[in-house]
């Protein structure tokens, strides 16, 4: 069993700040925990808009505080986000994430984020070394 607290993650290597200041990510579970997913708390700063496009990951995001919206850049659909809303990026969906007030999001990634990943110019994280194996498992159902 592994037990970690927000208190010990804040200010450690497991806390990653976006270069543009739009978010901070507290990474409770990472790839080397061998869980098959990573598990983060992300704060999205109020008044920000972030372009995200996880080409190599699936992400589930559950909002437990604050308000904002997500715009699906393929369909143009805009979905409000508030406490109790979950979205699943199960199709490598390119999107814009807007925080109206500071949002507190609980996020899980498969394949897991391995450490201190930052978004690249397209809003993606680099592929996980075993990412192809997980993708094959997903498509096998
Ligand atoms: C919702 C989202 O993807 N925000 C960007 C940060 C990411 N959740 C992370 O690395 O924790």
């Amino acid at each position: 069993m592994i037990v970690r607290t927000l208190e010990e993650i804040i200010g450690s290597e497991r806390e990653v700040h976006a270069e543009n200041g739009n978010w901070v990510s507290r990474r409770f579970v990472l790839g080397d925990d061998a869980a098959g997913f990573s598990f983060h708390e992300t704060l999205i700063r109020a008044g920000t808009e972030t372009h995200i496009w996880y080409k190599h990951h699936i992400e589930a995001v559950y909002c437990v505080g604050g308000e904002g919206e997500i715009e699906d850049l393929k369909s143009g659909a805009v979905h409000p986000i508030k406490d109790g809303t979950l979205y699943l990026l199960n199709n490598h969906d390119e999107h814009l994430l807007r925080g109206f007030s500071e949002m507190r999001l609980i996020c899980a990634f498969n394949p897991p984020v391995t450490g201190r990943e930052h978004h690249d110019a397209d809003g993606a994280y680099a592929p996980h070394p075993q990412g192809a194996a997980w993708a094959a498992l997903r498509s096998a159902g």
Side-chain angles (χ1 to χ4, degrees):
M1 184 186 298
I2 295 169
V3 177
R4 297 189 177 115
T5 65
L6 183 60
E7 207 175 28
E8 69 197 34
I9 286 173
I10 290 174
S12 78
E13 279 289 296
R14 290 176 173 274
E15 183 178 62
V16 174
H17 292 261
E19 279 152 8
N20 60 12
N22 283 8
W23 49 262
V24 56
S25 169
R26 282 88 180 249
R27 298 180 172 170
F28 283 81
V29 177
L30 285 168
D32 63 1
D33 293 314
F37 57 87
S38 61
F39 191 87
H40 315 183
E41 175 189 271
T42 301
L43 300 181
I44 304 292
R45 300 302 187 196
T48 61
E49 177 181 87
T50 307
H51 174 241
I52 301 177
W53 189 8
Y54 294 124
K55 299 174 189 179
H56 315 292
H57 295 81
I58 305 295
E59 185 192 22
V61 179
Y62 182 62
C63 178
V64 296
E67 290 191 21
E69 66 182 18
I70 181 169
E71 179 175 343
D72 180 336
L73 287 176
K74 193 169 179 194
S75 68
V78 177
H79 306 277
I81 301 172
K82 61 178 185 175
D83 184 3
T85 306
L86 175 131
Y87 63 88
L88 177 65
L89 302 170
N90 59 340
N91 209 17
H92 305 295
D93 314 82
E94 183 180 11
H95 62 281
L96 295 173
L97 183 61
R98 302 187 184 98
F100 300 147
S101 55
E102 181 165 280
M103 285 197 290
R104 186 161 171 246
L105 305 177
I106 308 302
C107 313
F109 282 85
N110 175 272
V113 167
T114 60
R116 295 188 55 80
E117 282 94 328
H118 279 86
H119 290 164
D120 68 13
D122 273 348
Y125 290 147
H128 184 280
Q130 276 101 46
W134 269 301
L137 277 176
R138 264 199 312 278
S139 59

